[in-house]
Amino acid sequence: MSRPIQVMKFGGTSVGDAARIRSAATIALEAAKQRSVVVVVSAMSGVTNTLIAAAGKASAGDESVAEGLARALHTKHRETIEALISDVEQRRDLLAEIDVLIDRAANYCRGCALLGELSPRALDVIAGTGERLTARITAAVLREMGCQGVAFDATELIVTDEVHGGARPLAGPTRAKTQAALTPLLETGGIPVVTGYIAATVKGIPTTLGRGGSDFSATILGAALDAHEVIIWTDVNGVQTADPRMVPDAVTLDEVSYIEAGELAFFGAKVLHPMTLRPVIESGIPVWIRNSFQPQQTGTKITHSVRPTPQGVKAVTATRDVAMISVAGPGIIGVPDIAARIFGATASVRASIVMISQSSSQDSICFVVQAADATRTEKALRDALYKEVHQHDLEHIKVNRNVAIVAAVGENMCGTPGIAGRVFSTLGKEGINMIAIAQGSSEYNISFLVESGAMEKAVQALHKTFSLSRQTEGAEVASKTA
Ligand code: ADP
Ligand code: ASP
Ligand code: MG
């Protein structure tokens, strides 16, 4: 009988230098004693940012950027390979392979500089170079350690739609391709090392799954292979009660539900790409978040079930990567199709809407989009509502980027009265103004918009109000008395 499969993903810091890559390979090898292991790797930390910045500068006409990019990537990856691979032939082959990939990325940048243009399709090709490099290096390290490590580009495994920069997987073809490519190697005890973040359309054109998308790659592959579990190895001990960079006394949660983790990711908790849990919810494949720097820690388990938390609120999250768009004016009242036209316009540019609210006077509709979508959303709205603006039925279409969204999340919030009151009185005491509020009917979160300068204070105050730094203790008490 075939062994259970564990898909494990290593994020940018977990493959950030030679020592980290060696330690990732050691973790994979140890796990492979008990089960089949599929490794998914991100680019070395900083590399995707470097690639995206270079592509942007090139398209603005800076021709020299390609040389600089090639030099930086060559240095970083060559040094890593030299520190890790002692076998002369392996090292020579690997260096030749990475040279080709890096030169190709630099050439694409030269093309962008010549054309003075960067299409989303071209950006995806350039941005995904880092993962192709780390997958090859990690597979070679596994071979050095005596295991059959083989690098795979996920462009050959994960099939997506054609939305460059944020593609979504097509489950059927992905399953067929992934199983056909990886099963033979898994059956002989080998370890496939797959690129995170990248994929390809049905026609084979490279796409990416959005920034931070390697988490999503891991669960897509986990679902395609009917994996036993997925482990996301990162640089924190698990999902915490808040971003530890904002709240130093945040604590790690032993377990959270798919819904809770999904809400946290949706409202900006960087520890997970917002789509990560989608592929595994139906089949109930557990996802673990663990610290590759401290593999002895058990981390956070994400599944369907949750233990009750006395506080109702389990974690607080926030992000500044949003913009508020308001459409206001007397023309909004009584025009039955105005909301449909507004959201038709946002849909036409595939803007991701994070929150919607309508003021009580009913003469303004305001909603929050991802910051990256703001400019094209505003343009689409101005085009769609041109007549109303021109006739002064609409007073304005405004974009405010100086905002942050804060959300309190917990599956048991729905059964716990008074949470909204405590949220509002906490913010009142701190003198923080709420620009807009939303609570979904599911009651798994209360989210609100504040000025971006007040974000950290709001998160810290709510973390304190709901005693989240004592959460783990509280949860243990609750489960023992249940
Ligand atoms: P990786 O490179 O491994 O994918 P990321 O930087 O994307 O890692 O995500 C991990 C980071 O997410 C942590 O270092 C932490 O600062 C941040 N983070 C934000 N919110 C949370 C949270 N609620 N729990 C844990 N980490 C969080
Ligand atoms: N390297 C990609 C990024 O930086 C994907 C990832 O790290 O998950 O966005
Ligand atoms: Mg990440």
Side-chain angles (χ1 to χ4, degrees), residues 112 117-124 164:
C112 291
E117 186 189 75
L118 177 61
S119 67
R121 177 173 160 173
L123 181 60
D124 272 356
H164 290 282

Side-chain angles (χ1 to χ4, degrees), residues 9 212 215 270:
K9 171 254 171 177
D215 303 327
K270 200 186 164 221

Side-chain angles (χ1 to χ4, degrees), residues 12 15-18 21 43-47 50 69-82 98 102 133 137:
V15 290
D17 58 28
I21 295 179
M44 294 174 81
S45 53
V47 168
T50 305
L69 174 73
R71 218 174 311 119
L73 294 185
H74 276 304
T75 309
K76 191 175 181 90
H77 292 88
R78 278 181 164 265
E79 270 174 17
T80 306
I81 290 168
E82 271 149 25
I98 68 144
I102 293 171
L133 300 172
I137 298 172

Side-chain angles (χ1 to χ4, degrees), residues 9-12 41-44 46-49 52 127 130-131 196-198 210-217 273:
K9 171 254 171 177
F10 293 91
V41 285
S42 294
M44 294 174 81
V47 168
T48 312
N49 285 346
I52 292 174
E131 274 70 11
Y197 184 46
I198 61 172
R211 293 307 306 272
S214 301
D215 303 327
F216 193 17
S217 309
H273 179 282

Side-chain angles (χ1 to χ4, degrees), residues 20 28 48 50 70 82 96 98 102 112 124 144-145 153 155 189 198 233 281 291 307 325 377 417 427 437 462 475:
R20 300 309 309 149
T48 312
T50 305
E82 271 149 25
I98 68 144
I102 293 171
C112 291
D124 272 356
E144 279 263 313
M145 291 176 166
D153 286 337
T155 43
I198 61 172
W233 290 101
I281 290 181
N291 192 344
R307 278 184 293 175
I325 301 188
T377 307
L427 297 180
I437 306 163
L462 289 176

